[in-house]
Amino acid sequence: MEDRNKFRKYLLLAVSIFITVFVGLYLRFDDLKVWNQYKERFFYKDTPLFTSYDAFFFAHYSKEYLNGSYKAGERDHLRFVPDNATYPSPIPMESFLGAKLSEVFNTNIENIALWLTPILSIFFVVPLTVYFFRLNLFFAGFVGALFGVVNFIYLVRTSIARFDTDSLNLFFPFGMALFFLLALNSEGKRKYIYLATAGILTLGYSWWYAHYGITLSFLILYLLVAVFIKAKESQEVFFKEKLLASIRKELPYFGILLLLSNPVFVYRGIFNFLSLVKTYLINFFKPAVSGGFPNVFMSISEAQHFDIVRTADLSSGNILLFAIGLLGVSILFVKRFRETVFLLPIFLIGLMALKGGNRFIMYLSPFIGIGIGYLIDSTLSFFKRKEFLGELRIYFLILILLLLLPFLLLYFNKNSVAFVIEPKITPELQAGFIKLGEIAPKNSWIWTWWDYGYAIQYLATRATFHDGGSQGSPKTYFVATTFSIDSPKVAHNTILGIANIGAKGISDLVKEGKREKEIRNMIFSGKFSKPTKNPIYWVFTEDEIGKFMWINYFGTWNFDLKKGIKSPIFILKGCRLRSKNLIICGNNILDLQKGIVISGGKAIPIKSLVIRNENGTIYDKNYREKGIYLEILKEKGRSFFFVMGEQPFRSMFNQMYILRNYDKKYFELVYDDFPTIVVYKINQKME
C-alpha cells in the first residue's frame, strides 16, 4: 500500500510537470503560426528578427566570440564612445550558449534565439514543483508553476527570438532555494552534495545574470538560517556557546558552498546589491540623477510602475485571484516559515512590482499561484483529516483539479493566450542598419537615441555613444537636447563637445564644482567642440516618432523645475482624400480650407500647413498666429501626415528627420530612406 501511494505521488508530480511545461511551451511557440504566415513582418531574408533590444547585445558578443575578437576585460570600442565600456569578464553565458549552439547546429544566432529562450524559460517549473512536493504541498508547486509560465509579463519576456536573460532568471533562484532546503535537513556527505549543487547553481546564476547582489543575499540567508537553527538544536547551555558551536559546525559546509559560488562573484555582490537598490528603488522615483541631469529610467517601459489592479491583471489575470493568492502565500510563510524561508528573496523581488518596475511581476506571479495552491492543499488536507472523502475520491478530485486548473487559468489570462510577440526591429530597419555599416567607415561613431545602440553595434558593427546598458549617463541628456533644440549650430556643438569630453569630462566638470546648467551652456557654446579622428553620423529612425515625447522631455529639461516639456509628434494613419480640401484620418477630419483639425468633436486651429513634395521642395501656408502645425509628406507614392505643436515643429528632429530641412554648413545628408532611417554625417571642418 505504501509503495502504491508513493508511486501515485510521483506519478502526479511527473504529470503536473508535464502539464505545466506543455502549457508554457504552447503559449510561446504558438506565435510561430502567425510569424510563418506573415514572414515579411517577422523575418529578414528568412532570418527571424529579435524580439528584445538586449538580444542584439548578447548576439553581438556571440558573434565576436565566434570570430575570435572578444577580449574579456579589455575595452569594447563599439560601446559608450568616447569613454568606452569593457568586455564583460567572463563572456555572458547567454552569448556563450548562443555561439556554441550556432556552431553545433551550423546556423545563425537568430535561429538559435528563436527557440532557445522559450525552452529555457520553463526550466524553473522543475525546482519549484519539487520544492513544494518535498513539503507535501503538491498544488502549491503545481499552481505556482502554472502561474509562472502563464503570466503576461513573463510570457512577453521569454517569447520566441527574445534571446535575453529572463529565460533562466526564475530557474536559478528556485533551484538554489530547493538545494538549500535539502541541505538544511541533511548531514554529512549528503549535505555536502546538496550544498555543492547549490554552489554550482549560484555560480551559474552569477554567470548568467551578473547581478551578484541577488546571489549574495541567498548565501547570507542560508548561513543565517543554518547557524541559528543549529544553535537552537545545540546542547550547549548559553546562547553564545550555542551560536559559536553552530558556526563551527556549519563553517566546513559553508566553505564548500562559498568556494563553488566563486568568492570573487560573492565580493562583487556587495557593490551590485547597492547598485540594484539605487537603480530600481531609489533613483527610479527621482526626477534627476547624476549631478542634476534628468533620470532616463522614467521613460523605460520595463521600469514603469503599474497600479495594483494592473499588476494583478498582469500577474494573475484577475484581482480576486491576486488577493486570494497573496493572502494564501502570506499564511504559508507564517505557518511554515522554516521550510519556505529560502523562497523569501525571490518573493521580496516580486513584491518590488508593487513599488518599482513592472518587470518584477514575473517574480511575483508564481507566489500568487503558490498561495492559491496552498489553500487548495489545506482544503484537501482538511477533507482527508475529517474523512469527508475517501482516499480514492481525494485522488480523483486531485486529477480533476490537475486537468481543470490549467484551463481556468488560461481563461483568466486571455491576454496571454491572445498575445503574439512582435520584433523590436522591422525588416526595413534591419536592412537600414546593415546599410549604415556599408556607408560609415569602420571607425565611425553613431549619434542616435539609445534604444537601438546594441542593434547598431551588432548589425552595422559601428560604435555608439550610448545604448541599453549606458543610458543612465548624462550623455543621454545631451543626445536628447540635439533632437529637441531648434539650433543646428548648438546641435553641432553638442555632438562634437560630447565626442571630445564624453561622460568622464562631464563628471570631471561636476567634481570641479560646475553646475549642470553651466556645463550645458559650455557644451552648447562650443567650448569643447573640435574635430575628432572618428567620423560621426547622426541617425534618425522611425521608432523615434513615438518616443519623441520622452526624448523631448529630457531634451527640454528645466534644471530649476526638474522637468521638461512633454510635447509629442502625432502621426495620423489611415488618411484618405474625401474632397479637394477635406482629408479623413481615422476619427480626425483635416479641413485644409478652414485650417482646422476636427478631433473628438472639437475644432483645433491649424497655425501652418507644411507640405514636402517628393522632389524635396517644401511649401507652407499660414492660417493664423496661433495653433498647431500640420505636415504632409509625399514620399515614394505615399503620403504621411503629422500634427505637432510649435516647439516640436522647430526641433532638429522634425526639421532634419521628417522635413529633411538641414543646415549644410553643419550636416551632410548621406542616406535617406524615410521613414525607416535617415542618416547625416557631421561636418567637422571648423570655421
Side-chain angles (χ1 to χ4, degrees):
M1 180 65 74
E2 186 177 340
D3 289 342
R4 186 183 299 173
N5 286 337
K6 193 173 182 180
F7 173 76
R8 285 175 181 169
K9 286 182 179 180
Y10 279 101
L11 181 61
L12 284 174
L13 174 65
V15 171
S16 69
I17 291 174
F18 174 80
I19 290 173
T20 312
V21 167
F22 177 82
V23 170
L25 292 179
Y26 174 79
L27 283 176
R28 286 154 178 79
F29 284 112
D30 184 55
D31 293 2
L32 282 176
K33 289 189 298 187
V34 177
W35 277 50
N36 288 323
Q37 185 178 357
Y38 302 100
K39 277 199 165 187
E40 69 280 1
R41 283 174 50 199
F42 299 100
F43 290 81
Y44 172 75
K45 294 183 178 179
D46 292 327
T47 298
L49 299 170
F50 285 131
T51 55
S52 77
Y53 291 118
D54 286 352
F56 295 101
F57 167 83
F58 294 110
H60 167 58
Y61 286 151
S62 292
K63 185 170 71 173
E64 294 210 334
Y65 180 83
L66 287 171
N67 63 30
S69 59
Y70 189 92
K71 306 295 181 184
E74 296 185 12
R75 290 183 69 183
D76 182 350
H77 294 282
L78 294 186
R79 292 193 59 204
F80 203 56
V81 293
D83 307 274
N84 289 119
T86 57
Y87 285 106
S89 180
I91 183 174
M93 189 194 292
E94 182 95 47
S95 301
F96 179 78
L97 277 177
K100 288 299 181 182
L101 289 171
S102 66
E103 278 186 324
V104 170
F105 291 99
N106 192 29
T107 188
N108 58 45
I109 295 162
E110 286 86 349
N111 283 331
I112 297 298
L114 187 69
W115 54 264
L116 180 63
T117 297
I119 289 176
L120 295 181
S121 72
I122 50 86
F123 278 22
F124 82 94
V125 165
V126 176
L128 171 57
T129 309
V130 172
Y131 191 105
F132 286 98
F133 182 78
R134 299 281 302 189
L135 303 183
N136 290 317
L137 295 173
F138 171 77
F139 277 103
F142 174 57
V143 182
L146 268 180
F147 269 73
V149 298
V150 169
N151 85 84
F152 186 76
I153 293 296
Y154 191 57
L155 174 65
V156 170
R157 301 184 70 82
T158 57
S159 292
I160 54 175
R162 180 84 182 177
F163 203 51
D164 206 343
T165 52
D166 285 320
S167 53
L168 285 179
N169 277 354
L170 292 180
F171 166 74
F172 283 114
F174 280 117
M176 290 153 57
L178 172 62
F179 283 95
F180 284 145
L181 175 69
L182 295 173
L184 190 67
N185 299 319
S186 304
E187 293 294 340
K189 186 184 295 185
R190 182 171 292 184
K191 185 165 187 170
Y192 278 119
I193 293 172
Y194 288 146
L195 284 178
T197 306
I200 293 169
L201 286 170
T202 304
L203 177 64
Y205 191 32
S206 296
W207 185 18
W208 176 259
Y209 199 37
H211 279 24
Y212 311 108
I214 300 175
T215 54
L216 175 65
S217 66
F218 271 96
L219 297 179
I220 293 174
L221 178 64
Y222 174 76
L223 181 62
L224 290 174
V225 171
V227 165
F228 278 98
I229 284 180
K230 294 305 177 184
K232 188 177 179 181
E233 297 170 351
S234 174
Q235 300 300 314
E236 298 288 343
V237 177
F238 298 104
F239 178 74
K240 183 178 179 181
E241 281 72 18
K242 284 176 177 282
L243 203 59
L244 288 173
S246 177
I247 291 172
R248 283 194 295 270
K249 189 173 183 179
E250 286 299 319
L251 272 180
Y253 296 117
F254 189 75
I256 291 294
L257 175 63
L258 188 63
L259 182 65
L260 290 174
S261 299
N262 191 335
V264 174
F265 287 167
V266 175
Y267 174 73
R268 290 180 185 177
I270 300 170
F271 306 99
N272 179 249
F273 180 80
L274 296 174
S275 174
L276 290 173
V277 171
K278 181 180 178 183
T279 298
Y280 287 104
L281 286 181
I282 299 175
N283 282 350
F284 174 75
F285 297 98
K286 289 183 176 181
V289 292
S290 303
F293 292 98
N295 178 14
V296 73
F297 277 93
M298 292 184 289
S299 69
I300 300 175
S301 60
E302 69 177 36
Q304 295 301 304
H305 169 64
F306 293 140
D307 61 38
I308 189 70
V309 175
R310 182 64 173 151
T311 299
D313 182 55
L314 293 173
S315 62
S316 56
N318 182 282
I319 185 66
L320 181 60
L321 290 178
F322 181 80
I324 293 171
L326 209 53
L327 174 64
V329 79
S330 300
I331 295 172
L332 172 62
F333 276 121
V334 171
K335 294 190 71 172
R336 304 187 67 167
F337 181 76
R338 173 177 169 173
E339 297 162 299
T340 58
V341 64
F342 298 118
L343 298 175
L344 269 178
I346 316 171
F347 182 57
L348 292 175
I349 293 173
L351 288 180
M352 289 172 65
L354 303 177
K355 184 176 175 62
N358 66 68
R359 67 176 302 172
F360 300 113
I361 290 174
M362 60 179 267
Y363 295 93
L364 179 62
S365 188
F367 288 95
I368 303 303
I370 288 167
I372 293 172
Y374 171 68
L375 294 177
I376 295 173
D377 284 318
S378 300
T379 303
L380 291 174
S381 179
F382 176 77
F383 286 168
K384 195 172 183 179
R385 283 198 316 271
K386 297 297 182 180
E387 298 182 350
F388 291 160
L389 296 171
E391 190 169 332
L392 285 176
R393 290 185 178 180
I394 289 286
Y395 274 113
F396 183 67
L397 181 57
I398 289 173
L399 286 173
I400 291 175
L401 289 173
L402 199 62
L403 297 173
L404 184 62
L405 285 172
F407 290 101
L408 286 174
L409 189 56
L410 291 172
Y411 173 77
F412 285 116
N413 287 270
K414 293 176 183 176
N415 54 351
S416 293
V417 177
F419 176 73
V420 176
I421 190 71
E422 293 275 347
K424 288 295 185 183
I425 193 170
T426 63
E428 294 79 14
L429 185 54
Q430 178 140 329
F433 286 151
I434 293 171
K435 182 70 175 179
L436 176 64
E438 298 170 1
I439 295 170
K442 194 172 182 180
N443 66 332
S444 298
W445 291 350
I446 308 303
W447 182 274
T448 190
W449 194 238
W450 65 267
D451 287 301
Y452 281 122
Y454 291 147
I456 291 170
Q457 293 157 19
Y458 176 63
L459 296 170
T461 323
R462 296 297 179 264
T464 64
F465 283 83
H466 63 169
D467 52 40
S470 57
Q471 74 274 49
S473 129
K475 281 199 294 192
T476 296
Y477 161 71
F478 286 102
V479 173
T481 62
T482 60
F483 281 77
S484 62
I485 58 178
D486 60 4
S487 168
K489 182 177 181 180
V490 172
H492 184 266
N493 286 343
T494 302
I495 294 171
L496 286 184
I498 296 300
N500 278 283
I501 68 171
K504 185 182 182 303
I506 297 170
S507 178
D508 290 342
L509 291 171
V510 171
K511 290 176 183 176
E512 291 173 12
K514 299 287 193 300
R515 300 293 296 172
E516 59 277 356
K517 282 195 290 187
E518 188 178 357
I519 296 171
R520 178 198 64 189
N521 293 339
M522 291 167 71
I523 291 174
F524 279 9
S525 69
K527 181 177 176 61
F528 307 108
S529 299
K530 58 182 180 180
T532 68
K533 295 179 181 179
N534 304 81
I536 302 173
Y537 291 81
W538 192 353
V539 174
F540 297 92
T541 53
E542 187 174 7
D543 63 293
E544 290 163 355
I545 299 171
K547 296 167 185 172
F548 179 78
M549 184 188 75
W550 276 112
I551 297 173
N552 195 55
Y553 179 77
F554 298 126
T556 57
W557 187 258
N558 186 307
F559 289 98
D560 297 320
L561 300 177
K562 296 291 187 290
K563 64 180 183 180
I565 300 171
K566 283 186 178 180
S567 188
I569 292 175
F570 296 102
I571 182 168
L572 304 179
K573 296 184 178 181
C575 298
R576 63 189 188 278
L577 190 66
R578 188 168 178 178
S579 62
K580 183 179 178 181
N581 290 307
L582 207 62
I583 301 171
I584 309 297
C585 298
N587 296 323
N588 303 297
I589 302 173
L590 313 181
D591 190 328
L592 303 186
Q593 184 174 354
K594 296 180 180 178
I596 58 173
V597 175
I598 302 172
S599 180
K602 294 182 179 180
I604 304 169
I606 298 173
K607 176 180 179 178
S608 183
L609 167 66
V610 179
I611 299 175
R612 185 184 191 276
N613 294 308
E614 290 208 37
N615 60 9
T617 59
I618 296 176
Y619 160 82
D620 63 271
K621 176 182 179 180
N622 293 318
Y623 289 99
R624 51 186 62 86
E625 289 298 317
K626 292 183 179 180
I628 62 172
Y629 285 80
L630 171 63
E631 293 180 355
I632 303 176
L633 279 77
K634 298 176 181 179
E635 301 275 346
K636 304 169 188 174
R638 298 171 60 193
S639 293
F640 298 87
F641 297 80
F642 298 93
V643 173
M644 66 199 74
E646 177 91 26
Q647 183 265 322
F649 172 77
R650 302 200 179 281
S651 70
M652 288 294 96
F653 178 75
N654 178 58
Q655 294 296 320
M656 292 183 65
Y657 166 61
I658 297 179
L659 295 177
R660 267 66 44 86
N661 179 29
Y662 62 97
D663 192 326
K664 294 181 180 179
K665 183 167 66 175
Y666 301 111
F667 310 105
E668 177 190 353
L669 181 61
V670 294
Y671 186 64
D672 183 358
D673 186 23
F674 183 87
T676 302
I677 184 171
V678 176
V679 182
Y680 290 89
K681 184 179 181 181
I682 309 303
N683 181 8
Q684 298 196 46
K685 294 179 182 178
M686 308 302 291
E687 295 179 354

